[in-house]
Amino acid sequence: MKLVVTVLDTVGIQSYIFGSNRLRENVGASFLVSLATDNWVREILRELQTEQNWRIQISDDQNPQERPYIEDGELQAELVYAGGGNTVLIFQTLDLAKAFARKLSRKILEDAPGINLVVAHREFNWDSDRLYKIIQDMMRNDLNRAKQGRVPSSPLLGLGVTAACRSTQLAAIGISGEPKHKMPSDQPYPISSEISAKLVAVEPANQQLENFILDPKKPKRLEIPLDFDDLGRSEGESSYIAIVHADGNNMGKRFQAVGEGKANREYITEVRRLCDSIKEAGKEALKKVTQVIIEAYDSGLLKDKLHLKGKKLPFRPIVYGGDDVTFICDGRLGLELAAIYLEEFEKQSVSYGGKLRACAGVCIVKSHYPFARAYQLSEALCKSAKKYAKDKAVKKGVDFSAIDWHLATSGLIGSIGDIREREYQGVEGNLAMRPVLLVQDDEWRTWQSISKVIHELNDGEQWKDKRNKVIALREILRKGENATKEYLTAYNLGNLPLFSECSTQLAESGWADDSGKRICGYFDAIEAMEFYFPLKEIKSDE
């Protein structure tokens, strides 16, 4: 029998979500994207069910596996899955698919202006065609053609009598802080229809986040922040934020493999289970991160050690609900929370494909640095970590989680490769050991090892009273192994803290051979001393 598969995707989502320096706008934008690709899809199907007397099946119904199925001829539409950045549906006819696409497009134009939806339809034969191959081919080819052939919108930039929106530079249609935004604005500013929609979405976005990361059985002691300045300033000190972007490893291959050798109905069942289990894995990992922060707050660590003021959670997920996660936090918590997220994500189980692994990029910048640029760097750092993990996986035959980071204390010029080529080269080799694996027993380039070294340099008995000498060592390391040895001897510092499973030569000189290249083991650790606060380690020591 002939059916129609419809695949939905979006264009320019990164700029839509992260293009503003106002956290509320980023939060509202992320929420609108999740609505457009998931909630509104289900809502439109239900509306058509009522209006057109359709019979539909949506995968989050109470009994999604019970008949009728789309192939029985009794359903007009069936939602295959919504997740991984895409939404897939099956319709009885092309006319029904187009009717759905028109209604969803109008909903997005009215309630989420600025989101660009791309839709691809393809007829297939249920009895002879493999659905998973059709979907994969549509994602590779049909959606790309639709994106390339899309006519870019040319919004009216304004007339002589209009004001420009502060965030988009489009014609303003109102002022922030209006009653419908339900958020007071200390300094109202002109906003376009796109920004107005984002601000309207802030309250439900915050409520949704609060419902899943905070325990409803316990009194709410910390509020979810809605401003970059609420993430944890310390009085009298510069304020930094960390943008953490994490992404699951080989998720595309996992979704492809789930359809291998399966009949169409079996594929639909399995891909739904996989999609749902990955969503749950990402959420559970974020819940654990939140729990660790709240425990540190309750024990007094955040106030006593970081001198955080107020009752705001120094952490805020912006994009979540799957393996692709972006959150922001106080700059001093970024490295620790990224590692905790990866550890917790690895512990989750999914319906297909074995153990989960993920990589993360952490960009630490001053709180009012252009947010879009900082996010782009965190995304590039995540890709760098993925490449390193993939190279290690090829050599060892198993998958790894990895992390990469950059501390932008004085701005960012160029790509991450340009920055490291310009700023992290010593006379003997590479000063940066980043990226690193999360943990691996027979590797010294791991986050587990470097975090122990940072903790030892900050709080170890041998080093905690020699901070100035440790900071000065960073410039000595640039000069190479002999200069480092002379410096350690001259100031009677002894050997540097040992990495796990590494030779004493590294601790004696600061340099070692790795994959045929000279690499410094301590430059990264010294640089990160001000931006690492080991919540779990300190908690366990008390």
Side-chain angles (χ1 to χ4, degrees):
M1 63 182 301
K2 289 285 186 180
L3 296 173
V4 174
V5 60
T6 296
V7 181
L8 310 178
D9 200 359
T10 49
V11 179
I13 288 304
Q14 281 76 17
S15 60
Y16 180 80
I17 296 176
F18 300 106
S20 172
N21 274 6
R22 297 177 176 89
L23 179 57
R24 292 182 182 186
E25 295 176 8
N26 306 134
V27 168
S30 177
F31 184 68
L32 288 174
V33 170
S34 70
L35 292 179
T37 57
D38 193 332
N39 300 57
W40 288 348
V41 171
R42 303 172 196 272
E43 179 182 318
I44 297 300
L45 287 174
R46 293 189 180 100
E47 287 180 7
L48 288 169
Q49 180 182 28
T50 302
E51 296 171 3
Q52 307 295 334
N53 196 30
W54 282 18
R55 292 192 70 188
I56 65 170
Q57 187 185 97
I58 300 176
S59 59
D60 65 351
D61 286 348
Q62 289 183 349
N63 298 301
Q65 307 309 323
E66 290 188 359
R67 287 185 180 273
Y69 297 144
I70 190 76
E71 64 268 29
D72 295 331
E74 299 179 34
L75 297 178
Q76 279 71 41
E78 181 172 353
L79 176 62
V80 177
Y81 70 90
N86 298 108
T87 306
V88 179
L89 309 98
I90 302 177
F91 295 91
Q92 285 289 349
T93 68
L94 184 59
D95 287 341
L96 296 177
K98 289 182 175 180
F100 164 82
R102 284 194 297 270
K103 200 168 183 66
L104 178 61
S105 298
R106 178 162 186 155
K107 175 74 172 176
I108 291 173
L109 285 170
E110 292 177 346
D111 295 345
I115 292 180
N116 294 305
L117 183 70
V118 177
V119 183
H121 307 289
R122 187 187 290 191
E123 290 185 333
F124 74 105
N125 190 306
W126 177 270
D127 300 314
S128 59
D129 294 331
R130 288 295 180 91
L131 179 60
Y132 90 96
K133 289 186 176 180
I134 297 291
I135 292 172
Q136 296 301 324
D137 188 58
M138 289 180 69
M139 290 181 178
R140 284 192 299 266
N141 298 310
D142 296 26
L143 284 179
N144 284 335
R145 283 195 295 268
K147 290 175 182 179
Q148 293 170 6
R150 185 178 62 92
V151 178
S153 64
S154 300
L156 180 65
L157 296 180
L159 304 173
V161 294
T162 63
C165 171
R166 290 277 182 87
S167 297
T168 64
Q169 302 308 309
L170 299 176
I173 55 91
I175 299 293
S176 65
E178 294 177 1
K180 64 181 178 181
H181 300 147
K182 299 187 180 179
M183 292 286 177
S185 180
D186 296 332
Q187 296 180 330
Y189 55 94
I191 56 174
S192 63
S193 58
E194 176 182 320
I195 299 303
S196 179
K198 292 177 180 179
L199 293 178
V200 169
V202 169
E203 185 181 47
N206 232 36
Q207 189 61 54
Q208 176 180 281
L209 179 62
E210 184 177 299
N211 288 342
F212 103 81
I213 67 170
L214 299 180
D215 189 343
K217 298 178 182 178
K218 296 181 179 180
K220 186 172 70 172
R221 300 179 299 285
L222 292 172
E223 296 181 5
I224 296 174
L226 280 170
D227 195 300
F228 290 118
D229 290 334
D230 292 335
L231 287 170
R233 287 180 180 271
S234 293
E235 188 173 0
E237 299 180 9
S238 296
S239 179
Y240 290 85
I241 62 171
I243 300 94
V244 178
H245 177 69
D247 194 16
N249 293 357
N250 302 315
M251 286 298 172
K253 292 182 179 178
R254 194 182 291 253
F255 272 90
Q256 290 176 21
V258 77
E260 292 287 348
K262 292 184 176 66
N264 290 344
R265 176 50 52 186
E266 185 183 4
Y267 164 68
I268 291 174
T269 301
E270 291 300 322
V271 78
R272 283 175 179 169
R273 288 174 179 168
L274 177 59
C275 186
D276 291 343
S277 61
I278 290 174
K279 287 180 181 179
E280 191 64 22
K283 288 185 176 182
E284 287 300 317
L286 284 176
K287 283 183 184 179
K288 183 59 179 179
V289 172
T290 308
Q291 180 183 336
V292 170
I293 296 173
I294 292 176
E295 289 175 356
Y297 174 83
D298 290 342
S299 67
L301 288 176
L302 295 183
K303 182 178 180 181
D304 296 341
K305 300 292 184 179
L306 295 187
H307 312 293
L308 298 186
K309 299 176 65 179
K311 294 185 178 295
K312 301 285 188 181
L313 190 71
F315 161 77
R316 167 95 208 197
I318 297 179
V319 176
Y320 59 94
D323 69 294
D324 189 333
V325 168
T326 302
F327 64 82
I328 57 172
C329 59
D330 182 282
R332 294 161 295 183
L333 297 176
L335 292 170
E336 174 75 339
L337 296 186
I340 292 173
Y341 174 81
L342 293 179
E343 291 170 1
E344 295 302 324
F345 188 71
E346 284 191 351
K347 294 177 183 178
Q348 307 305 314
S349 60
V350 289
S351 65
Y352 184 86
K355 192 169 183 178
L356 289 169
R357 293 286 189 271
C359 293
V362 184
C363 181
I364 300 174
V365 296
K366 291 186 176 180
S367 58
H368 294 289
Y369 187 85
F371 188 61
R373 173 71 178 116
Y375 169 75
Q376 288 173 356
L377 189 60
S378 71
E379 193 175 35
L381 290 164
C382 183
K383 290 179 180 178
S384 169
K386 277 179 168 285
K387 183 180 183 303
Y388 182 70
K390 183 178 180 180
D391 291 343
K392 286 293 183 180
V394 170
K395 292 179 180 179
K396 295 181 178 290
V398 293
D399 198 11
F400 297 100
S401 294
I403 184 171
D404 198 356
W405 65 93
H406 184 72
L407 313 176
T409 56
S410 58
L412 300 166
I413 300 176
S415 67
I416 187 62
D418 293 336
I419 293 170
R420 289 185 176 164
E421 185 66 29
R422 183 177 64 243
E423 301 178 14
Y424 290 89
Q425 296 299 317
V427 295
E428 288 193 23
N430 195 349
L431 290 166
M433 61 183 287
R434 297 165 276 173
V436 298
L437 301 179
L438 184 65
V439 59
Q440 176 64 18
D441 291 340
D442 59 350
E443 291 275 346
W444 67 273
R445 285 181 62 177
T446 68
W447 174 251
Q448 182 183 51
S449 297
I450 195 173
S451 62
K452 290 179 180 178
V453 170
I454 298 171
H455 184 52
E456 184 66 22
L457 292 175
N458 271 327
D459 299 308
E461 289 298 323
Q462 180 183 349
W463 299 97
K464 65 181 181 180
D465 296 326
K466 301 174 183 177
R467 193 170 191 83
N468 290 338
K469 291 183 173 62
V470 172
I471 298 300
L473 178 61
R474 186 168 58 175
E475 292 306 310
I476 303 300
L477 288 166
R478 289 183 180 274
K479 300 176 182 179
E481 178 177 325
N482 291 334
T484 303
K485 287 181 178 179
E486 291 173 1
Y487 182 83
L488 294 174
T489 301
Y491 288 99
N492 196 30
L493 296 176
N495 289 346
L496 292 162
L498 279 171
F499 281 85
S500 300
E501 302 296 330
C502 80
S503 66
T504 56
Q505 181 184 0
L506 179 63
E508 291 171 355
S509 67
W511 286 83
D513 293 315
D514 185 80
S515 300
K517 298 180 181 179
R518 294 289 285 171
I519 190 169
C520 181
Y522 294 90
F523 193 91
D524 285 342
I526 296 172
E527 186 182 58
M529 287 171 62
E530 299 290 339
F531 297 95
Y532 175 62
F533 186 72
L535 296 174
K536 281 189 170 182
E537 288 186 15
I538 291 179
K539 179 178 182 298
S540 63
D541 290 342
E542 294 188 347

